[in-house]
Amino acid sequence: MPDGDAISISSGSDGEEQLDRRAILEPAIQSVVDALGGFEDGIYRMGDECYSCLKDLKKFWRKDDTDDERTVARIFSDCRVLSNDLIPVLTETAGKGHVEDKRAIACVDLITAVTWPIDLAEELKEMDEELDKGSDYTQLLSSHLRYKAAMLQPGILKALFSIILPCLAKSPKERKERDIQIITVVLFLVRNLAFIKDLPSNTNLSSDQAEFSSLQSRLIKALSEDFILEFLLTIASNASTDPLFNRWNVIALEIFYLIFRGVRPASLVIEAEKQASSNLNRLLSVEGQRKLEWARNATSRHSRFGTTITVTKNAKPHKPTSEPSDTKDEALPPRPYVLHRQKAITAETGEMFDVEKKQRTKKGKKIDALAREDTLSLDSRKILQGLAKNFVKSCFSPFLSSLLKDIRSERPKITEKDNLRLLFITKWFLEFFLQAHAKEKTLKQENIWDFGFVAEVTDRGWITWVLRRMREALDAKPKMWTEFQAGIECLTQLLLLIERMSTEDLADVALTDVAEVLQNQLIYNGEVLEIALESLKAYKDGTQSLVYLDSSVHLAYALLRMLEKWTKVGGGREMYVRKKARRKKKAKGPTEEEGIPDVEEEEAGENEEEEVKDMRLTFEGFELRFANSEVTKTLLAYLGRYKEFPSPEHMKRVVGLLHRQAVRAKAEGLFFNVSTLALFKSIMDHKQYLPREQPYKDLVNLIQFLLRQFFKAVDDDPFIIVHALYPKNRGHWKQFSSWKPEEKFIEREKKVAAEVQVTQGYTWTEEMGIVIACLVEDEKAHLIDWVKEILSGVISQRKHIIEETDKVVSDDDDDDEGAESEAKLEPWRNPSGEAIAKFTDFPIPYKDEAQADATTNDPHLKLLFRLLKFEVQEEQDSLDETQWIVPAKVMPFDMQSQLNVIDQFLKYPIDLQGKKASELLKKKPRKRRPRRVELDENGEPPAKKERKKKEAQQYKSATMIEDSDADEDEWAAFFEREKKLAERTALAATASGTSGTMRATGTKKRRRTEGKKRRRKRGSDVTSGSETEKSGSELDREPPSTMQSPQQGSEPSPPREPPEEPARPRPRPRKRLRASSPPQSSSPPFEPTPLPDLEDR
């Protein structure tokens, strides 16, 4: 091979140029574009291979999937293929009725690919720092603007809609998957056009650039004229019922999001004719504020020479050279500065120096990461106003329910960003509904805006999903602040909707009940309360957008206002909040077969389970939780932008929250900080330039209050000035505030004093005397007088009943004696049954708290009540007091006797023989409550059922045992014989003086010891042995000691054996009687009484 034909491969380091990708692709793409066709006499003529060329261009487009530079997209932009070829092909086919032409469908497919949105953030993340250093995406973004302008030419969107109609006109059996794909591609193309953002409006732009700032208005107008918006409404309204339209609910959601995110709902509620004038007034007011601000700092011409002031630095007299100087400033010469501002005459010099310095440009803060502000024309706003009304009335609830169902089912078409779009759409239309409803109420129109239109958001499943998405957004790493912001705005509108439903102006009681239930559910769930607090704490300057700050303040303000109103209407009722706490389960050790478990196989939450508790929470306690340094920092950051507030409502919200912290929670120490005081100073300096609305007046009053509190605290403790340099976190603000901790009252069950009773052995009268003595010892004689009053009142009441019923005349003369006196007392002792039937239980009234407490906690008084036959009422109205009654069964004669006994013991106390009355009392044993056992369907406890089951398993031989209950005669005869035998045994024992069932000695024969045998063999002294035996037998005849108890059921202990004699003989001892020695003879001292014959058993 010649050397010239060789191919050299190098790394490029030697300076050789590599082949450019664009240089390779551009000629090929240009040739295909030329083959598509061209204009001839003003008419576009398609080439013979137009369809094949469109397919080739699609193949070229796919090469950008692996190219970060988007080379093919840049070539298409330079060739103007969309405006010069694709749109003419589309108009020549679908625009002239050839809607099923495959060239038109291929053209729509390619246009959709060319206009596909560019995710600039993701593109920049994927770029390589070295290889993609020269990449420029501005060309691609500007090409999309040209594509959008080209697609908005008359007849283009109409041609797209004409492609959709034949696919929809087919019956479900005739409709193929390709027809559904065609509709999907057209909807994606509409989505792409709505995604392209217009240029900001500027009067200094050229005519071409000015056209690019109004493309969104033209797009909305074209979509309305070509019936595409009506098609989107059809998809939304039938998404929950028709599977065909349910396929495109996600695409429709994104299109609605892109259309409505550039306009505020409040601007569409106002009539379109008044919108221009309102905008003009708003701009003029902003301009007026800026002029006032400029005039405040502007110079005035007090003379034609203006103001010139010289300020000298180090203006000190020079010291003599003999005195040494140690400081550096003293060695510097004086330096003059010239100021040309009139304000320098009265202001501080340091402030003037700061003005002259060059200000560093601060990093711009993100205004809103969720929505944007589009400049729309008057016609487009009218179209969006009608679209929003139709959507709320016919599509809101079914559209949201279908999307939520798909999200829960985790269908593949759902992406992560669809959750964000759904939250935004819900928030937007809820705000639009509330604004329209408020306008209708103001104008006193008919009930056009019914709450049933937005009933879907009041569903429990919907609220649960919103709270779960917000919690997941906070738990994600990194945190998804944009989605969290959308959730905050959605919750805020939901709270405003509930507040509107619960207003007293509405005559519908059902709506008020629904609002009450929703409030209870939201409060009991507790998630909304935590989110409102966390959203304020989580704000960091530069991390979240300014709209996030406004949304979090609005949510906290609306929630606190709703809770305050809810507690006031309920009479200061308490809130119960559900708290979830994790507690560990008892870990079960592994069995021998399982061994030690692998660590990797154990799940994190395996040994934990959620425990739900209901916690009581008051509104004041929840309001106090907002007295937090992080919350105050967020509110002050929001207040610092008071000049940018679009309406006084924003100032009202932040002032309301600050007032709750400083005044309601008494946390003024949170504001004793240098930065806070500097902010207050700047506001007070602009006091005369503030608007005249009431919220701004409240702000000035609040600042003056806080400043008074601060300087008052400084007078008491000057060291607070030093503390003002440090943050007031971790509750340090409490020592500088007027806040005082509440006394903690731990609510426990009141321990009722144990009941007492008199020890046994006393009569009823003596027991009465002892109880009365106890009360007198405790200096509680007033309770005895109270008992006497009760008895007297009940006696008189029941005597009156007897007199009226039995016609008995009361006679107080008791001088009669004998039978005549007894006859007079008989009607009072035994009244008629009719009179007794009229007796009722008399509830004992309590005159004061002391009497009520005594009946519950005084054991002596309760014992006196029981002795008087008083009873406790079964149904108690209060848990803190015990209600006693005088039963109807107690007769007035008996009560009179009791009253006489009490009078007797008060006059003559009982003689206790020197003891205290309390010593004769003891605690009354409490009856143990029977254990509550749940019964099964057969009425048996489960434990008994299990025991029967075990017995049936263990004793399988039970079936072989015969029941002998039928032989009752044999058992009766057996017991009769036993009874006779016991009687004969008792008679024999009585006659002999011993027990008839036990022998005097044992029946077991004693073994003779070896010592006795030896003595007999050796011829030992038998006399001594006989005498000893004789003495032992005499001792045995003595009656047994009373301290010794016989051991029943055991054999008598054998006698002690004498010690063995030694081998060597010893002197003979003197005869003695040893009472404790047992008898040595084996024969009993007397013959026992023979037992009766037992053969008859």
Side-chain angles (χ1 to χ4, degrees), residues 542-606:
T543 303
Q544 296 93 353
S545 63
L546 297 178
V547 177
Y548 170 88
L549 177 60
D550 180 72
S551 302
S552 58
V553 171
H554 195 185
L555 175 63
Y557 175 77
L559 178 63
L560 287 172
R561 187 176 62 177
M562 185 193 76
L563 292 179
E564 185 176 18
K565 187 182 298 184
W566 185 72
T567 52
K568 286 182 178 179
V569 172
R573 51 185 163 187
E574 298 171 341
M575 300 178 289
Y576 287 89
V577 181
R578 182 181 63 181
K579 292 287 184 180
K580 293 182 179 180
R582 293 185 177 272
R583 60 184 182 93
K584 294 184 178 181
K585 296 180 181 179
K586 293 183 179 180
K588 297 181 180 179
T591 59
E592 296 180 358
E593 299 179 357
E594 296 175 353
I596 300 175
D598 191 2
V599 179
E600 297 179 356
E601 295 178 357
E602 293 183 355
E603 297 181 358
E606 184 178 1

Side-chain angles (χ1 to χ4, degrees), residues 1025-1038:
S1026 62
E1027 291 177 356
T1028 305
E1029 292 175 0
K1030 184 178 179 181
S1031 63
S1033 62
E1034 292 175 355
L1035 290 174
D1036 286 341
R1037 289 190 184 96
E1038 296 178 0

Side-chain angles (χ1 to χ4, degrees), residues 1 26 118 287 323 336 384 499 667 743 783 855 1058:
M1 178 182 294
E26 188 171 9
I118 299 176
E287 184 180 4
E323 297 181 5
L384 289 182
E499 183 181 2
E743 297 181 1
L783 295 178
T855 56

Side-chain angles (χ1 to χ4, degrees), residues 661-662 666-673 706 709 726-728 732-739:
Q661 285 186 323
K666 299 180 180 180
E668 58 269 15
L670 287 169
F671 303 91
F672 294 173
N673 208 344
L706 292 173
Q709 294 295 109
Y726 301 96
K728 305 298 185 296
H732 293 166
W733 57 269
K734 296 179 180 179
Q735 56 183 333
F736 310 115
S737 306
S738 58
W739 174 85

Side-chain angles (χ1 to χ4, degrees), residues 961-972 975:
I961 300 175
E962 296 179 358
D963 191 6
S964 60
D965 292 342
D967 303 334
E968 296 181 358
D969 298 337
E970 297 180 3
W971 282 105
F975 288 130

